[in-house]
Amino acid sequence: MSKVVLITGGSSGIGKAVGDYLFHKGYTVYGTSRNPEKIMNSLFPLIELDVRNVESIQTAVAKVIAITKRIDVVINNAGVGITGPLEETPTNEIKSNFETNFFGPIEVIKAVLPQMREQQSGLIINITSIAGYMGLPFRGIYSASKGALEIVSEAISMEVKNFGINVVTMAPGDFATNIAASRYHAPVIEGSAYETKYSNTLKQMDEHVDSGSNPNEMAMAIYQIINDKNPKLHYKVGLFMQKFSIILKRILPDRIYESMLMNHYKL
């Protein structure tokens, strides 16, 4: 019997690439979308789910269990970007980002754990970001929400391991997806103290996404994790320098690393 995989945010980008890849590998894949009726020609079924709505999450998970009688792998992929100087980023947008990137995955985990405990098996893969390993200028909220998911995953891993459940994180670098188009941008305010540097950094971020890696790299990496009997806790996928930046943060003095980042972003 093929493993049942549930992927949040499975209608585009990394989620769709992962779903398509696993579908072709013979897995029973269910993706989620806030508006599945608008998505045409998906290889796998899409179920309505809004990670900001607990009832929506519980309904979607219950639907998959009713059909398949189990959930073997959950991939918390749904997420949104946010950019802006902290001083000029509306607090409601900051809270909204955490609702999607942090609280949403937690509620999905809460919804699937009873079934996984009953099975005495399961794998939860939380998609974070290399940006979650460091505070990046004008992306501090995004870094914080993804970093928080990294840390809470470590705690959950220890809480559920004796039930036969593994929790891992997968931190991608820049991938060629539509995340730049869908993220919240604090407006570049004319005359602002941040106008020039924020505007230039915004252009640089968009260029990095446009020239990013192929999402199929994430799909292949996740396939390997699913087939690993003893998966690691943290994984990173991306360009060499993006992954190497995490190592540099560990070994360099804080202010030297900060200077390196500021130089990179021309601040």
Side-chain angles (χ1 to χ4, degrees):
M1 185 173 63
S2 65
K3 287 185 176 181
V4 177
V5 182
L6 176 63
I7 306 171
T8 65
S11 62
S12 63
I14 288 174
K16 183 180 186 304
V18 172
D20 288 350
Y21 190 88
L22 295 179
F23 176 83
H24 285 301
K25 289 292 186 180
Y27 289 85
T28 301
V29 179
Y30 288 86
T32 76
S33 170
R34 285 179 296 176
N35 301 291
E37 69 282 355
K38 295 182 179 179
I39 310 301
M40 300 297 177
N41 302 320
S42 176
L43 291 178
F44 47 89
L46 290 172
I47 296 174
E48 182 177 351
L49 186 152
D50 182 350
V51 294
R52 297 163 52 86
N53 184 309
V54 176
E55 184 178 349
S56 169
I57 292 169
Q58 293 172 343
T59 299
V61 169
K63 185 173 183 178
V64 173
I65 294 172
I67 297 170
T68 65
K69 310 305 180 188
R70 63 186 299 110
I71 295 182
D72 298 294
V73 182
V74 169
I75 304 173
N76 268 315
N77 168 72
V80 291
I82 182 171
T83 65
L86 182 66
E87 185 180 352
E88 296 176 355
T89 304
T91 300
N92 65 304
E93 293 293 346
I94 295 173
K95 292 180 178 178
S96 177
N97 187 265
F98 267 79
E99 285 292 337
T100 299
N101 290 358
F102 181 68
F103 293 110
I106 286 176
E107 293 298 341
V108 172
I109 292 169
K110 287 183 176 182
V112 301
L113 279 180
Q115 177 63 35
M116 288 185 170
R117 278 204 321 275
E118 184 179 326
Q119 297 167 186
Q120 285 291 298
S121 67
L123 173 64
I124 296 168
I125 303 175
N126 292 326
I127 306 299
T128 58
S129 173
I130 286 178
Y133 283 84
M134 63 203 72
L136 295 178
F138 306 117
R139 268 195 290 183
I141 302 307
Y142 182 73
S143 290
S145 65
K146 290 298 189 176
L149 187 56
E150 284 277 348
I151 293 300
V152 81
S153 296
E154 294 179 356
I156 298 168
S157 175
M158 292 183 281
E159 294 171 4
V160 302
K161 192 171 291 290
N162 67 314
F163 303 128
I165 303 168
N166 282 312
V167 178
V168 308
T169 70
M170 169 61 79
D174 290 318
F175 279 80
T177 69
N178 62 351
I179 188 171
S182 60
R183 69 186 171 204
Y184 171 80
H185 296 281
V188 178
I189 301 173
E190 187 175 352
S192 162
Y194 306 99
E195 179 185 4
T196 301
K197 290 183 177 179
Y198 173 43
S199 178
N200 291 339
T201 302
L202 201 54
K203 292 175 184 175
Q204 189 177 359
M205 283 189 276
D206 291 342
E207 289 170 0
H208 287 170
V209 171
D210 291 339
S211 61
S213 305
N214 190 317
N216 284 335
E217 291 182 27
M218 281 287 290
M220 290 184 284
I222 286 175
Y223 174 71
Q224 291 175 345
I225 293 172
I226 293 173
N227 286 279
D228 190 337
K229 292 182 180 180
N230 297 294
K232 298 188 298 183
L233 182 54
H234 298 297
Y235 293 85
K236 294 93 178 171
V237 176
L239 300 176
F240 171 78
M241 283 307 300
Q242 293 172 348
K243 294 186 287 185
F244 189 56
S245 65
I246 299 174
I247 297 174
L248 289 177
K249 189 176 192 301
R250 291 174 182 161
I251 62 177
L252 290 177
D254 293 342
R255 292 302 185 189
I256 291 178
Y257 188 79
E258 180 184 68
S259 296
M260 185 185 73
L261 283 180
M262 292 182 73
N263 182 64
H264 175 74
Y265 287 103
K266 300 179 174 60
L267 299 178

